[in-house]
Amino acid sequence: QVQLVESGGGLVQAGGSLRLSCAASGSIFSINAMAWYRQAPGKQRELVAHITSGGYTNHADFVKGRFTISRDNAKNTVYLQMNSLKPEDTAVYYCNANGRMIIGPDFNSWGQGTQVTVSS
């Protein structure tokens, strides 16, 4: 079993910055892709950014130039640096990772979510 634990959410004023972290733990053999999603009240969960094991990244258009995803493979951790935050960025942010376990099936795990609130 693989667990993802997020941290770094909170309340910030518009124009401010936050850095989210997500650490994976458990019987991990390798992690392929890691990603951040978000879900605002009354809306569907949407992809924010994605990073492969080789470091290739993809950011949603609505965060390009403001958010940056990165990862530390040695720590099984993914980060999301969020700058120039807007009130519409308010949402619960979820971490996702998929890969192979030491013993058992491939995994596709989600974190519990961390709240980001941007005030105007």
Side-chain angles (χ1 to χ4, degrees):
Q1 193 171 3
V2 176
Q3 297 82 35
L4 301 181
V5 178
E6 297 125 336
S7 61
L11 173 64
V12 64
Q13 289 188 331
S17 299
L18 284 174
R19 188 191 194 212
L20 305 183
S21 300
C22 171
S25 63
S27 301
I28 299 170
F29 177 77
S30 63
I31 299 178
N32 298 328
M34 303 185 83
W36 288 97
Y37 289 75
R38 71 185 186 185
Q39 188 167 18
K43 294 188 177 181
Q44 290 188 330
R45 189 172 297 188
E46 59 185 359
L47 177 66
V48 175
H50 170 273
I51 185 167
T52 67
S53 58
Y56 175 80
T57 63
N58 183 40
H59 296 78
D61 287 343
F62 53 79
V63 302
K64 280 183 180 176
R66 301 188 298 123
F67 293 9
T68 302
I69 190 171
S70 62
R71 65 190 279 177
D72 184 334
N73 291 332
K75 295 181 179 179
N76 289 336
T77 299
V78 63
Y79 306 96
L80 185 67
Q81 178 65 44
M82 305 186 293
N83 299 328
S84 302
L85 282 159
K86 304 175 181 180
E88 51 263 44
D89 294 318
T90 296
V92 177
Y93 284 71
Y94 296 91
C95 172
N96 173 265
N98 62 75
R100 298 183 63 187
M101 297 178 65
I102 295 173
I103 298 176
D106 293 351
F107 69 89
N108 185 4
S109 298
W110 291 88
Q112 79 286 356
T114 185
Q115 177 70 46
V116 172
T117 303
V118 184
S119 63
S120 58

